Amino acid sequence: MSRKIIAGNWKMNLHLKEGADLISATNSYLNQNPVEHIDVVVAPPAYQLVQSSQLSGNVKLSVSAQNMAAQDNGAFTGELSASMVKDAGAELVIIGHSERREIFGEQDDLLKQKLHKAIDSGLYPIFCVGESLEQRKNGEHFKHIENQLKAGLSDFSSEQLPNIIVAYEPIWAIGTGETASPEQAQEMHAFIRKFLGSHFSAAVADEVSILYGGSVKPGNAKDLFGQPDIDGGLIGGASIKAESFIELIKIGEEVLR
Ligand code: PGA
């Protein structure tokens, strides 16, 4: 069975004090209300990884980087290696977020290298895939997602695959307030699981967590998380306020199975 996960992607938001307050609030909520069914992840800006890891005492609360380099070390100004991410106390790393792909021009072959580096380093990658509005309107969304999955995942072994978390994030639903309907999300999640089933095996596909991302909020989370192939959420806007993030944790614990 796949891990169920509520992950907050802070993006380029929150300064040290705000980040510390959010982690502390989440941590103390989890200490008082132990969760059984889910793992909680926060992905702060890189310079807060150490602080976040130090403050996240609860075993169910892990820290993720938002990005990392494909290289080990050397002359790569502005970059952070997998071993640095680990050194900072993080256990996961987001790879291929659509903002990295679109704004920073990260392409499939680079993302594949990053995924392999993360796995070889013992980090759990959260690998993001998602189509644009235009691709959806043209009916190209399944093909596009299949291409992204093939490009990123095809060289992994069946033993490695369950350590990769896939996040389906339709670009048109990110930060727009527009969410994929539970049916649209489920349809794509089932497609992703089927793809993994045919390239690896049904048993392996069953072990992979597939998160939904794109304007997840307390108001729509129950319906999304209730879908059979949705294993949790990668949450941006609603994850940077303690109140809504904790509400999402509560809903996740209640609904995700
Ligand atoms: P959002 O972001 O929840 O603000 O739409 C999701 C994401 O980009 O991971």
Side-chain angles (χ1 to χ4, degrees):
M1 204 176 73
S2 58
R3 281 168 80 190
K4 308 296 184 258
I5 299 169
I6 298 294
N9 174 12
W10 300 359
K11 310 191 180 184
M12 200 167 72
N13 294 297
L14 306 182
H15 290 84
L16 280 175
K17 164 90 172 65
E18 299 160 314
D21 288 348
L22 179 48
I23 302 265
S24 301
T26 307
N27 200 54
S28 64
Y29 174 80
L30 291 171
N31 287 342
Q32 283 157 29
N33 305 272
V35 289
E36 247 181 77
H37 302 289
I38 59 169
D39 291 313
V40 180
V41 174
V42 287
Y47 84 111
Q48 293 184 41
L49 287 171
V50 172
Q51 166 180 280
S52 301
S53 307
Q54 285 169 352
L55 291 173
S56 68
N58 192 285
V59 290
K60 291 287 199 169
L61 179 58
S62 310
V63 174
S64 172
Q66 297 177 11
N67 179 34
M68 61 165 223
Q71 298 87 354
D72 285 327
N73 61 283
F76 301 101
T77 302
E79 292 292 320
L80 209 59
S81 69
S83 62
M84 290 171 182
V85 168
K86 286 192 78 175
D87 210 17
E91 293 169 57
L92 303 93
V93 58
I94 300 173
I95 302 285
H97 190 281
S98 63
E99 286 148 21
R100 298 297 320 169
R101 293 178 187 258
E102 300 230 306
I103 306 170
F104 300 99
E106 297 194 1
Q107 313 240 332
D108 286 339
D109 52 343
L110 173 68
L111 298 174
K112 176 180 176 171
Q113 289 173 39
K114 290 188 179 195
L115 283 168
H116 281 272
K117 185 58 69 183
I119 287 293
D120 292 347
S121 309
L123 287 165
Y124 295 98
I126 302 175
F127 177 46
C128 302
V129 296
E131 81 283 1
S132 66
L133 187 56
E134 200 187 344
Q135 287 165 329
R136 181 162 277 264
K137 279 187 176 153
N138 294 339
E140 296 160 358
H141 44 302
F142 291 113
K143 190 74 211 150
H144 180 68
I145 300 299
E146 184 176 334
N147 289 342
Q148 288 185 324
L149 292 170
K150 261 190 201 151
L153 303 181
S154 46
D155 287 350
F156 283 101
S157 69
S158 295
E159 287 70 39
Q160 290 170 317
L161 199 75
N163 293 324
I164 299 174
I165 298 154
V166 175
Y168 169 58
E169 300 205 307
I171 297 170
W172 47 274
I174 295 178
T176 57
E178 195 174 330
T179 323
S181 67
E183 294 73 27
Q184 281 173 321
Q186 165 58 26
E187 187 185 32
M188 187 58 87
H189 281 233
F191 175 82
I192 294 171
R193 206 173 305 278
K194 199 167 152 217
F195 168 89
L196 298 175
S198 64
H199 278 73
F200 298 90
S201 72
V204 167
D206 213 42
E207 297 247 318
V208 176
S209 303
I210 309 175
L211 312 184
Y212 170 78
S215 300
V216 176
K217 299 184 263 308
N220 58 26
K222 207 170 190 165
D223 289 341
L224 287 162
F225 296 165
Q227 300 300 315
D229 286 297
I230 297 186
D231 299 313
L234 180 57
I235 301 137
S239 78
I240 56 176
K241 289 208 179 84
E243 197 188 356
S244 44
F245 191 51
I246 288 169
E247 192 55 34
L248 287 165
I249 293 172
K250 248 187 240 174
I251 296 169
E253 172 69 2
E254 213 176 279
V255 177
L256 290 166
R257 288 293 180 273

